[in-house]
Amino acid sequence: MKTTWTFSAIIMSFYLVACTPSQSSAPMSEMALQSWSQDDLAKFADDVSVTYRLVSNLTDEACAEGAKATERCFIAEIDFTSSYDMLLADWAIYFSQMRPVQAVLSDEFTIEQIKGDLHRITPTAAFTGFHAGQANTLRFRGELWQLSETDAMPNYYIVANDAQGVELTPQVINSTRVQQDPETNMEVRPYAQAFTDAKRQYQRSPTDKLVWAKPEILFTQNNTVSADASLSVDSLLPTPKSQVIVANGKAISLHQGINISRQNLVDVQLELHDIQAALARLERIGVRQSSAGVPLVFERLSQGNNQSTDRYELIINQQNMIIKAANASGFSYGISSLSSLLNIDSLTVNPMQIKDSPRYVYRGMHVDVSRNFHSKQFILDLLDQMAAYKLNKLHLHMGDDEGWRLEIDGLPELTDVGSKRCHDLSETRCILPQLGSGPFSDTKVNGFYSKEDYIDIIKYANARQIQVIPSMDMPGHSRAAIKSMEVRYRNMMAKADKQAANEFILADSNDTTQYSSVQYYNDNTLNVCMESTYRFIDKVITEIAKLHEQAGQPLETYHIGADETAGAWLESPICQAFIASNQYGVTDINHVGAYFIERVANMLADKGIQPAGWSDGMSHTNPARMPAHSQSNVWDLVSHKGYQRAHQQANNGWTTVLSNPEVLYFDFPYEADPKEHGYYWGTRALNSHHVFCFMPGNLPANAEQWFDIEGQPFEADDRPQLDDTGKQTAGPMKAGETVDGIQGQIWSETLRSDQTVEYMIYPRLLMLAERAWYKPEWEVPYQYAGAVYNQTTDHFTTTMRQQQARQWQKIANHLGNKELAKLDNAGVNYRVPTVGAVINDGILSANIAFPGLQIEYREGDKPWQVYTSAVAVKRPVDVRAVAANGKRKGRTLRVD
């Protein structure tokens, strides 16, 4: 495509070349350019150094003069430094900026928002060129705050025209590419300047009490756990309901493997393929099937009333091992428990008896592959680990603003266009770059699952007793679909097929509504008043259902999203006509969003599919007009009364799945450290211990052990709440109601690679499984009459806190001494924890969240040494941890 440059900019470029004195020793040919060539553009993109620097988040420093004390702003700077004179002014640099730019504070540059987070930097008339060795600084003010070094998105790219006015191939500025840390396998951003000032750079507001998790803070946190390898001898994850160890029993070795009788499988009507995935995990650990192995016997359990279909019993004695279950999932879970009991080195297990069943029927993991695509192999590997820890629902988010990731038969534009982001401002070949994706479509953050891929994923999940729940978000978060169908419209109109062109169009071209979504789009919401929208949805669901049928797992639940709808239809002539017709009984434009959810939910129910949605959208509906069997994922913050939404939707009789961000969003940082990856709008510190401590059976009771995002205590009032008319607006769950499960979430805006996503998921996924499967004795019982919870109430008693601490002690040792080694064995790139450390009187003391992992320290430039106990050191000192297999390293921290 061509880009039109202003006449004044062209004249300025000639003026600069003619009149600006040379400040470099570069050859005259480099300085005398009068227009760009492709080689010139590539050379400059390879040469120019970019540095992104957060200056301040403090209101009095960052916001405009006269700003209110409650206003939140930040100041950031971008330095551009060339090694040679580059004096042309007819260029544009595109980059992703996550927070809106309020003002440019430099004379030489301007910044324009293109769409979403895509922005364009161009020179002003005051630009005098890039001079050799001199930094040109672009200073700007942004909205809200930046609290993480990973906010600085990668892959800036430069665009320019040649002498004929034809746009050259864009070039990624090399210094803005991400790199991989060879020790941690994590992405690093060398262009992002490290934070150094906790107050100016990491304080969210004047009331923010959250403390940067430097080594001395981690040392205090880790002091609650002591190393005791004996605690991991008979431990397993998730914790079973009942486990009885035979006193003084002789350990049984599985070095010779296990022996499964074919006749036994026939006797209990169990197919080998039903348990093959669980057996494969045993084999990865080192326990194979062998005629010389310990007999593994299967027996059928009768399925009584009100008993979980997933229950099992595991009996280990000197003669054999017996698994009793009612179905394939129970038998698989019994084998998974055997795998968890084993130590990779000893391959022994003690005689015992386990009787077990899950707390919740819904034990899920959500993965967003829309914002940044993640490979089919990553999904298969995730399914393996979900099965290992008895999770049974994969919520696969495949359609959003930034990408459509599933091939739909008959709608090729969805993947031909919607699965790719590239530099095409007309959006005919792809959608616009977002999230630092860069100008080219052939990158790993782009892509989609073919029909065959998706069938393979479902089959793989089915063999592991996991249900796949597909999701294409709608009516908001739908920009990729909208733009794809616009391309389809143009293609059909070019063929003079107007009927086909209008069949699946998703937006009213005459809609003049001005709106902005949470991600700053103004064109990402389906028009809910157009029949073509519902034809499109029906087509998509029908085709997905076909893929499920072919894979042997019928589509039972479809997640429509329904969240964060910006309302793009308020000034739509089509919607105004829809309201005027009163065809569906909708007489208020503000109610058409609820109408959409109710209509699509019933469309699904008519197909025998349970509708699901996020809690904010579901709360807008009239439950009387919704299918009785509906699912709501509650993503409201507990610290912002999210328990009220959960109780309301459980009281509707819906399948209520807790997905609360401050404990279940695994794309949030592990620790309060600006180097940690992830978004942080819900919390800045979500480590494995925090997930372990979650009390899902009593959401408001978590106020007694949690703090909000700024480290402040909060109160949860679960008593009935009344408005001025005496009507109850919120309150406790009805007697006998409960939630149906919990689900971990990964949103991938900042997570570009499969390895980074694994880092964010593990080991938190193991604690998700623990809380989904096992109800701990220390959880505060729910009070159906309602109660108030805060840091001074004592529903969470001292005894309960002590029980919680004892169980964490056991689990932390289990992870460090036994379980993380199995993740290494499976090639999982889990997060190796950062080390806690202090230096007192020249003595280094260090500890770790998971005892059993090795700690290393380094004095100055000396080699790394193994830390075993307190040791005399000379500053400066660095510390790090080592993965269970001794290979990969954790992030290095400097001990102050």
Side-chain angles (χ1 to χ4, degrees), residues 399-417:
D400 213 294
D401 295 322
E402 295 82 9
W404 183 282
R405 308 302 186 186
L406 179 62
E407 181 183 13
I408 299 296
D409 198 27
L411 298 177
E413 294 85 359
L414 285 171
T415 45
D416 289 348
V417 177

Side-chain angles (χ1 to χ4, degrees), residues 672-685:
D673 187 324
K675 287 194 180 298
E676 291 286 344
H677 281 66
Y679 267 2
Y680 47 79
W681 57 265
T683 183
R684 287 177 279 166

Side-chain angles (χ1 to χ4, degrees), residues 319-352:
Q319 292 75 40
N320 56 25
M321 297 180 294
I322 302 169
I323 297 177
K324 299 180 180 181
N327 58 16
S329 62
F331 287 115
S332 294
Y333 294 155
I335 297 171
S336 293
S337 290
L338 179 60
S339 297
S340 188
L341 283 166
L342 286 168
N343 183 294
I344 286 181
D345 296 324
S346 68
L347 293 185
T348 60
V349 62
N350 291 321
M352 69 182 68

Side-chain angles (χ1 to χ4, degrees), residues 32 106 127 207 232 282 325 364 485 738 883 890 893:
S106 300
F127 178 71
T207 60
S232 65
L282 261 181
M485 292 301 95
T738 185
L893 298 183

Side-chain angles (χ1 to χ4, degrees), residues 29 103 156 236 275 298 342 426 538 573 597 632 695 703 716 781 803 826:
S29 60
Y156 291 37
L236 70 155
I275 57 172
F298 301 105
L342 286 168
S426 69
D538 185 69
I597 299 169
S632 176
M695 294 188 279
Q803 291 170 335

Side-chain angles (χ1 to χ4, degrees), residues 749-766:
E749 290 97 331
T750 64
L751 312 179
R752 303 170 52 79
S753 69
D754 291 353
Q755 287 178 312
T756 304
V757 177
E758 286 193 337
Y759 179 98
M760 301 302 283
I761 290 177
Y762 305 97
R764 291 187 281 202
L765 178 133
L766 280 62

Side-chain angles (χ1 to χ4, degrees), residues 1 188 190 257 364 371 422 455 461 497 539 552 587 593 627 648 683 723 871 881:
M1 60 166 289
V188 292
R371 271 54 179 272
C422 72
I455 289 171
D497 192 341
K539 169 69 172 174
T587 58
Q648 172 206 47
T683 183
D723 62 17
V871 60

